[in-house]
């Protein structure tokens, strides 16, 4: 067999081995295709939540810093949103999720709680927690974001604890979870 045929055959075999072996790289710096779960992006519309913008931004930042497989982003003006946030005069309340892309829940940030001395950022983060599928944990300590008003007016904690983070991570962990229905109950957070 001539040398050129051996070289072509060897090159083809090497290419085949590299193509099949290239699926799993030994280099840990190269991210594997299924080494990380996909991030679910949820858009929120706070265009009807005047006076709550800073609290909403801080609540969103808290969730984004503490969970890795769901990301909250502000919707484009007039664009679709999974979480619609409005300011009201009553008590804060929200639809219990977990909300999925293309579906919608509502968060009402009620000024009655602020008038009674509750922290706006904690309220916003707590109500967003409902949208992500977390129920209330009342009564509960200040260290539990979802304890809501039962933690008292002195509580300003707007950071989910390890259990709350884990539940949200689980809610958005797989494609099966992504197609699960929204609970749909409205939770009112009055004391």
């Amino acid at each position: 067999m001539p040398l050129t045929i051996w070289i072509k055959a060897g090159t083809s075999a090497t290419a085949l081995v590299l193509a099949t072996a290239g699926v799993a790289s030994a280099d840990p710096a190269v991210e594997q295709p299924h080494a990380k779960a996909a991030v679910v992006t949820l858009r929120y519309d706070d265009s009807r939540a005047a006076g709550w913008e800073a609290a909403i931004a801080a609540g969103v930042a808290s969730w984004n810093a503490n969970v890795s497989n769901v990301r909250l982003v502000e919707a484009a003006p007039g664009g679709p949103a999974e979480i619609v946030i409005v300011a009201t005069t009553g008590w804060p309340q929200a639809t219990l999720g977990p909300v999925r892309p293309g579906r919608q829940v509502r968060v009402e940030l009620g000024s009655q709680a602020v008038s009674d001395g509750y922290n706006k950022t904690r309220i916003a983060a707590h109500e967003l927690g409902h949208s992500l599928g977390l129920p209330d944990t009342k009564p509960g300590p200040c260290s539990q974001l979802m304890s809501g008003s039962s933690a008292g007016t002195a509580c300003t904690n707007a950071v989910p604890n390890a259990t709350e983070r884990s539940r949200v991570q689980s809610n958005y962990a797989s494609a099966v979870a992504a197609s699960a229905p929204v609970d749909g109950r409205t939770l009112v957070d009055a004391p």
Side-chain angles (χ1 to χ4, degrees), residues 26-93:
D27 183 357
V30 176
E31 189 171 324
Q32 299 305 311
H34 25 291
K36 193 176 189 183
V39 175
V40 175
T41 300
L42 299 173
R43 297 160 296 187
Y44 67 91
D45 173 7
D46 64 354
S47 63
R48 297 186 304 164
W52 286 85
E53 297 87 353
I56 293 166
V60 165
S62 178
W63 279 109
N64 285 344
N66 284 285
V67 293
S68 61
N69 63 355
V70 64
R71 187 113 187 113
L72 302 174
V73 298
E74 191 167 4
E82 285 80 19
I83 304 170
V84 175
I85 306 171
V86 298
T88 68
T89 57
W91 276 94
Q93 58 185 304

Side-chain angles (χ1 to χ4, degrees), residues 9-24:
T11 303
S12 296
T14 302
L16 179 61
V17 169
L18 289 175
T20 57
V23 174

Side-chain angles (χ1 to χ4, degrees), residues 100-115:
R100 305 297 178 200
R103 298 192 183 159
Q104 193 172 81
V105 295
R106 181 177 170 98
V107 167
E108 295 183 11
L109 300 176
S111 62
Q112 180 62 49
V114 177
S115 296

